[in-house]
Amino acid sequence: MACTAIVGINWGDEGKGRMVDLLTEQFDIVVRYQGGGNAGHTVINEYGKFALHLLPSGIFRKGVVNVLGNGVAMDPESLMNEIRDVADKGVAVTPENLKISDRASLLLPWHRKLDELEEMRLADKKYGSTKQGIAPFYSDKYQKKTVMAGELFYPDVLEAHLKDLMEWKNLTLKGVYGAEPYTWEDLKKWLETSCEAIRPYICNTGALLRKAQKDGKRILFEAQLGSLRDLDYGIYPMTTSSNTIASFAPVGSGLPGADIERIIGVVKAYSTCVGEGPFVCEMFGEEAERLREAGSEYGAKTGRPRRVGPIDLVATRYGVEVQAATEIALTKLDVLSDMDEIPVCARYLLDGEETDEFPFPAALGKCKPVMTKVPGWKSDISRIRKWEDLPETARNYVEMIEQAIGCPVKWVSVGPERESIIMR
Ligand code: GDP
């Protein structure tokens, strides 16, 4: 059975969580394949409102198995807090519906500390990190300086391994940042609390997924962030530290031979961006404030106000191409309902020439948006459930986007709730 991926096309926060939550009905397994506890996938359903950080968004569906693949930054502390939070609202998380890959590397206590120390050192040149330790984690992973979750089953190997890593990391903590070194007592406490708590969920998820594939199970890959934050294809260095694109899903999930038949790209009806970095279509002043308020654009993880702008057709087309998206879910169309005219970033102006091509990251700072405006619909569309019931100008807006990015829009969402969706 071929697999499906749900990915972000823009800078993240497109509404992937709500789409995974909606579509999990059609799947047996949901796998997170990259990123860590820095995600903030908002889901609103019969259990309440959630901002999922590490848990896959299939956790609310009975019978769905959720997997944290080998590509994620497995943060035991963050995961246990999250499991507690969702359990408080009546969602059972058990070793039956959550499985952690034994090959997922563990985010170690010093990763969060190092993230904080480095952002402080950078001061006004900071990346705007969520300080969840993600960048130090991935750089250590690729240096082979973390431990894998499965090592928790080999205490002797683990103790020696962790002691070596601690000795090495303390050199950086003390020497570079003048910070307190870690002790074995600190690590023992971490092992006995957070790590002990995640042990029951750890297993060979690679074997489980391969068997599931042979048995014809339906598998969904869930991405964190979006195309423009991909480490290789995004706005480097203002990216995240992992590959967010769908083609990484087979590697990061534990199913390296997976054939991804459908790649559902989630696009927001306007643009938002959290943190630092070039954002060509950015709007400022009162117009921006109105859009931010209308869309409640404050970070799910950090509460930070998101930078906002009109839809950016140049960046979105590029995002669709690098994801190789086969279909689009366009979210938050309702947020634009108050506008007489809707601004659109149609092209970029670079070195005196207009371009449709998304430029090399270092050139983005020089780009200016070339804006057009299209008519708005000025009516509440949040209760509409059929395409043909949308005002003509709203349909025109969706079709204009579809044509510009070269990918069919299959869903349009008009509210944050599971049922606020129009299928075409
Ligand atoms: P994700 O990380 O891609 O899942 O996105 P976030 O959860 O960070 O941000 C999406 C936000 O938009 C959340 O607050 C959702 O509840 C909200 N949302 C999603 N779809 C819609 C929609 O169609 N209309 C409105 N008004 N809000 C939406």
Side-chain angles (χ1 to χ4, degrees):
M1 171 72 66
C3 306
T4 298
I6 297 192
V7 296
I9 295 295
N10 305 118
W11 296 263
D13 306 318
E14 298 92 346
K16 294 173 293 296
R18 62 114 55 211
M19 288 310 298
V20 180
D21 176 60
L22 177 76
L23 297 176
T24 40
E25 205 175 35
Q26 304 165 17
F27 293 89
D28 303 300
I29 300 181
V30 179
V31 194
R32 273 279 307 271
Y33 61 88
Q34 46 78 227
N38 56 337
H41 294 176
T42 310
V43 174
I44 302 176
N45 57 27
E46 69 270 30
Y47 296 103
K49 180 172 178 177
F50 302 86
L52 295 180
H53 303 305
L54 202 47
L55 282 174
S57 308
I59 202 72
F60 304 104
R61 296 276 191 188
K62 292 215 164 57
V64 170
V65 174
N66 294 272
V67 175
L68 290 169
N70 50 282
V72 304
M74 186 48 238
D75 180 347
E77 254 176 288
S78 165
L79 181 66
M80 288 323 294
N81 288 337
E82 199 175 343
I83 290 179
R84 227 168 283 127
D85 284 352
V86 301
D88 283 351
K89 290 187 182 161
V91 182
V93 181
T94 67
E96 271 62 59
N97 69 353
L98 177 69
K99 303 199 183 273
I100 300 171
S101 168
D102 53 358
R103 288 181 170 270
S105 292
L106 295 184
L107 191 134
L108 300 170
W110 46 73
H111 289 137
R112 209 180 265 111
K113 182 86 197 152
L114 282 164
D115 206 348
E116 229 180 274
L117 289 166
E118 180 58 10
E119 285 283 278
M120 254 157 59
R121 189 192 70 81
L122 285 166
D124 59 347
K125 291 191 179 148
K126 69 183 191 298
Y127 286 80
S129 161
T130 53
K131 301 197 186 110
Q132 297 298 308
I134 305 300
F137 164 84
Y138 277 109
S139 48
D140 280 2
K141 174 174 173 173
Y142 285 92
Q143 283 196 80
K144 301 162 291 178
K145 302 277 195 190
T146 64
V147 297
M148 291 202 284
E151 286 180 58
L152 295 177
F153 298 119
Y154 301 86
D156 297 344
V157 176
L158 179 67
E159 181 171 338
H161 195 176
L162 272 176
K163 281 182 171 162
D164 283 348
L165 292 178
M166 184 179 73
E167 193 183 317
W168 169 75
K169 193 52 90 180
N170 278 342
L171 295 175
T172 309
L173 282 161
K174 284 187 292 186
V176 177
Y177 297 104
E180 277 290 298
Y182 278 83
T183 63
W184 178 239
E185 282 310 305
D186 297 332
L187 289 187
K188 257 184 29 199
K189 211 158 106 204
W190 172 75
L191 284 170
E192 283 161 11
T193 51
S194 307
C195 293
E196 202 46 40
I198 65 162
R199 259 168 65 110
Y201 302 93
I202 302 170
C203 61
N204 182 348
T205 55
L208 178 139
L209 287 169
R210 290 194 295 278
K211 176 161 186 324
Q213 198 181 31
K214 275 200 198 112
D215 294 347
K217 300 274 192 225
R218 299 156 305 170
I219 300 171
L220 179 65
F221 300 128
E222 176 180 8
Q224 183 218 353
L225 288 164
S227 315
L228 301 165
R229 298 293 190 191
D230 181 274
L231 180 62
D232 287 88
Y233 296 94
I235 53 171
Y236 188 87
M238 296 305 182
T239 57
T240 193
S241 301
S242 62
N243 290 106
T244 60
I245 54 169
S247 54
F248 184 74
V251 176
S253 65
L255 206 50
D259 165 22
I260 312 182
E261 188 181 47
R262 296 174 68 197
I263 299 177
I264 302 171
V266 186
V267 172
K268 201 182 271 192
Y270 52 95
S271 302
T272 60
C273 168
V274 175
E276 315 296 321
F279 185 41
V280 177
C281 67
E282 185 163 12
M283 291 189 331
F284 300 93
E286 233 175 74
E287 202 185 5
E289 198 46 50
R290 269 204 303 274
L291 182 55
R292 187 175 298 116
E293 281 300 312
S296 309
E297 294 298 349
Y298 300 90
K301 178 83 195 178
T302 58
R304 288 184 289 187
R306 294 175 181 151
R307 297 157 74 191
V308 297
I311 188 150
D312 180 335
L313 297 179
V314 182
T316 305
R317 186 184 310 111
Y318 173 76
V320 166
E321 284 170 5
V322 296
Q323 293 283 13
T326 57
E327 53 215 275
I328 297 294
L330 185 74
T331 59
K332 304 191 87 162
L333 191 67
D334 55 303
V335 172
L336 304 179
S337 295
D338 275 344
M339 292 181 168
D340 293 318
E341 285 188 307
I342 301 177
V344 172
C345 173
R347 281 179 297 284
Y348 289 176
L349 185 67
L350 175 59
D351 296 330
E353 301 219 359
E354 287 193 13
T355 178
D356 288 324
E357 287 286 317
F358 192 70
F360 183 74
L364 279 168
K366 289 201 292 183
C367 291
K368 296 273 173 284
V370 178
M371 306 290 285
T372 56
K373 286 204 163 168
V374 298
W377 43 92
K378 287 290 270 180
S379 61
D380 181 5
I381 58 169
S382 63
R383 287 194 216 325
I384 294 178
R385 298 290 176 265
K386 285 197 195 131
W387 172 250
E388 52 281 12
D389 293 344
L390 276 175
E392 193 183 355
T393 43
R395 278 183 278 136
N396 289 345
Y397 182 69
V398 176
E399 282 167 355
M400 178 272 300
I401 294 171
E402 184 174 65
Q403 223 208 338
I405 65 177
C407 195
V409 175
K410 291 271 179 71
W411 296 266
V412 177
S413 80
V414 290
E417 307 80 14
R418 192 184 267 172
E419 63 281 3
S420 305
I421 195 94
I422 296 169
M423 251 198 91
R424 275 175 90 194

